[in-house]
Amino acid sequence: MGRNVFLIGPRACGKTSVGKRLAALLGTEFVDTDHALVERVGMDIAAYVAAHGWDAFRDREAETLAREARPGGRVIGCGGGIVLRPENREVLATGVTIYLKADAEELARRLKLDPLEAQRPSLTGKSLADEVREVLAQRAPLYEGCADHIVSGPDPQTVAELALQAVNSHS
């Protein structure tokens, strides 16, 4: 497999858990752009945003995606807002892009269970459920527009297997 596989979608849609499983199924490496960015800047995303602002974060995010998307057939889990910038959407178009779709209620439920939730900066300042609904409504057209395939399922293993089928249909 020479093309990268990009997993896109909102926070808690399963990009990391599905991505690791999909990479194992494909026998390739998994990279999470948020984790790569945190490693590069030496602080978590909330601290970086607090210190430098959202625009600077989005700049680092774009740099991270461009760096991690080098040729080689990796599975790349992308930060939820990666679709916001046109240059990132151009990078996504170079590989197979899969939107991991989940409804707002399920995303909010997963985020409430996530111990790292408190470390994620709020995008809107609203309640978690309201924020998830608002951000998803805003970004869903971008996710769908970037996606070669849209995949959803009851658990990460099923979603990874569906994603594998989608990738194989591109071969």
Side-chain angles (χ1 to χ4, degrees), residues 115-128:
L116 297 178
E117 166 53 28
Q119 297 176 24
R120 298 174 190 233
S122 173
L123 298 169
T124 65
K126 296 183 178 183
S127 74
L128 181 62

Side-chain angles (χ1 to χ4, degrees), residues 109-141:
R109 185 190 70 75
R110 291 177 189 173
L111 285 168
K112 285 179 186 169
L113 295 173
D114 184 351
L116 297 178
E117 166 53 28
Q119 297 176 24
R120 298 174 190 233
S122 173
L123 298 169
T124 65
K126 296 183 178 183
S127 74
L128 181 62
D130 287 343
E131 178 174 295
V132 169
R133 271 191 295 280
E134 185 176 308
V135 171
L136 185 58
Q138 178 186 77
R139 294 181 183 173

Side-chain angles (χ1 to χ4, degrees), residues 148-168:
D148 295 304
H149 301 276
I150 298 173
V151 176
S152 63
D155 60 78
Q157 186 62 37
T158 300
V159 175
E161 290 167 5
L162 293 169
L164 177 63
Q165 291 172 14
V167 169
N168 287 337

Side-chain angles (χ1 to χ4, degrees), residues 27-105:
T28 192
E29 180 184 8
F30 172 73
V31 177
D32 180 297
T33 61
D34 283 347
H35 294 163
L37 186 153
V38 165
E39 190 173 298
R40 187 89 166 203
V41 301
M43 61 179 81
D44 68 36
I45 291 170
Y48 189 86
V49 170
H52 303 283
W54 278 107
D55 286 342
F57 169 74
R58 295 291 178 213
D59 291 343
R60 298 300 79 72
E61 183 177 59
E63 292 166 4
T64 302
L65 178 63
R67 184 177 57 253
E68 297 300 337
R70 67 185 183 273
R74 303 156 84 199
V75 175
I76 301 173
C78 299
I82 213 118
V83 297
L84 296 173
R85 290 210 170 162
E87 66 266 30
N88 293 340
R89 295 192 297 269
E90 290 174 15
V91 172
L92 296 175
T94 66
V96 178
T97 301
I98 301 173
Y99 170 26
L100 303 184
K101 189 172 184 174
D103 65 37
E105 292 73 25

Side-chain angles (χ1 to χ4, degrees), residues 6-27:
F6 299 103
L7 301 180
I8 61 171
R11 292 188 299 171
C13 72
K15 297 179 297 277
T16 301
S17 55
V18 170
K20 289 177 180 177
R21 286 172 172 84
L22 179 59
L25 291 169
L26 291 167

